[in-house]
Coordinates of all heavy atoms in Angstrom, one line a residue:
I6 N 83.7 133.6 89.1 CA 84.3 132.2 89.4 C 83.8 131.3 88.4 O 84.7 130.4 88.1 CB 83.6 131.8 90.9 CG1 84.0 132.7 92.0 CG2 84.1 130.4 91.1 CD1 85.5 133.0 92.1
I7 N 82.6 131.5 87.8 CA 82.3 130.6 86.8 C 83.2 130.8 85.6 O 83.6 129.9 84.8 CB 80.8 130.8 86.3 CG1 79.9 130.3 87.4 CG2 80.4 130.2 84.9 CD1 78.4 130.7 87.3
T8 N 83.7 132.0 85.2 CA 84.6 132.4 84.2 C 85.9 131.6 84.5 O 86.5 131.0 83.6 CB 84.7 133.8 84.0 OG1 83.5 134.4 83.7 CG2 85.6 134.1 82.9
L9 N 86.4 131.9 85.7 CA 87.6 131.2 86.2 C 87.5 129.6 85.9 O 88.4 129.0 85.5 CB 87.8 131.4 87.7 CG 88.9 130.8 88.3 CD1 90.3 131.4 88.0 CD2 88.7 130.7 89.9
I10 N 86.4 129.0 86.4 CA 86.3 127.5 86.3 C 86.4 127.2 84.8 O 87.0 126.3 84.4 CB 84.9 127.1 86.8 CG1 84.9 127.2 88.3 CG2 84.6 125.6 86.5 CD1 83.5 127.1 89.0
T11 N 85.7 127.9 83.8 CA 85.8 127.7 82.5 C 87.2 127.8 82.0 O 87.7 126.9 81.1 CB 84.8 128.6 81.7 OG1 83.4 128.4 82.2 CG2 84.9 128.3 80.1
L12 N 87.8 128.9 82.2 CA 89.3 129.2 81.8 C 90.2 128.1 82.3 O 91.1 127.6 81.6 CB 89.7 130.5 82.1 CG 89.0 131.6 81.5 CD1 89.5 133.0 82.1 CD2 89.3 131.7 80.0
V13 N 90.1 127.8 83.6 CA 90.9 126.7 84.1 C 90.7 125.4 83.6 O 91.7 124.7 83.3 CB 90.9 126.8 85.8 CG1 91.6 125.6 86.3 CG2 91.3 128.0 86.3
S14 N 89.4 125.1 83.3 CA 89.2 123.7 82.6 C 89.8 123.7 81.3 O 90.4 122.6 80.9 CB 87.8 123.4 82.7 OG 87.0 124.3 81.9
R15 N 89.7 124.7 80.4 CA 90.3 124.7 79.2 C 91.8 124.6 79.3 O 92.5 123.9 78.4 CB 89.9 126.1 78.3 CG 88.5 126.0 78.0 CD 88.2 127.2 77.2 NE 86.6 127.3 77.0 CZ 86.1 128.4 76.6 NH1 86.7 129.5 76.5 NH2 84.8 128.3 76.4
A16 N 92.4 125.4 80.2 CA 93.8 125.3 80.3 C 94.3 123.9 80.8 O 95.4 123.5 80.3 CB 94.3 126.4 81.4
S17 N 93.5 123.3 81.7 CA 93.9 121.9 82.0 C 93.9 120.9 80.9 O 94.7 120.1 80.8 CB 93.1 121.5 83.3 OG 91.7 121.2 82.8
I18 N 93.0 121.2 80.0 CA 92.9 120.3 78.8 C 94.2 120.6 78.0 O 94.8 119.6 77.4 CB 91.6 120.5 77.9 CG1 90.4 120.1 78.7 CG2 91.7 119.9 76.6 CD1 89.1 120.5 78.2
D19 N 94.6 121.7 77.8 CA 95.7 122.0 77.1 C 96.9 121.5 77.8 O 98.0 121.1 77.1 CB 95.9 123.6 77.0 CG 94.9 124.3 76.1 OD1 94.4 123.6 75.2 OD2 94.8 125.5 76.0
G20 N 96.9 121.3 79.1 CA 98.0 120.8 79.9 C 97.9 119.3 79.9 O 98.8 118.6 80.5
G21 N 97.1 118.7 79.2 CA 97.1 117.2 79.1 C 96.0 116.4 79.8 O 95.8 115.2 79.7
L22 N 95.1 117.1 80.6 CA 94.0 116.5 81.2 C 93.0 116.0 80.3 O 92.7 116.8 79.3 CB 93.4 117.4 82.3 CG 92.2 116.9 83.2 CD1 92.9 115.7 84.1 CD2 91.7 117.9 84.1

Side-chain angles (χ1 to χ4, degrees):
I6 301 304
I7 290 170
T8 303
L9 171 76
I10 294 168
T11 302
L12 292 173
V13 171
S14 66
R15 288 181 186 163
S17 68
I18 292 168
D19 291 342
L22 187 63

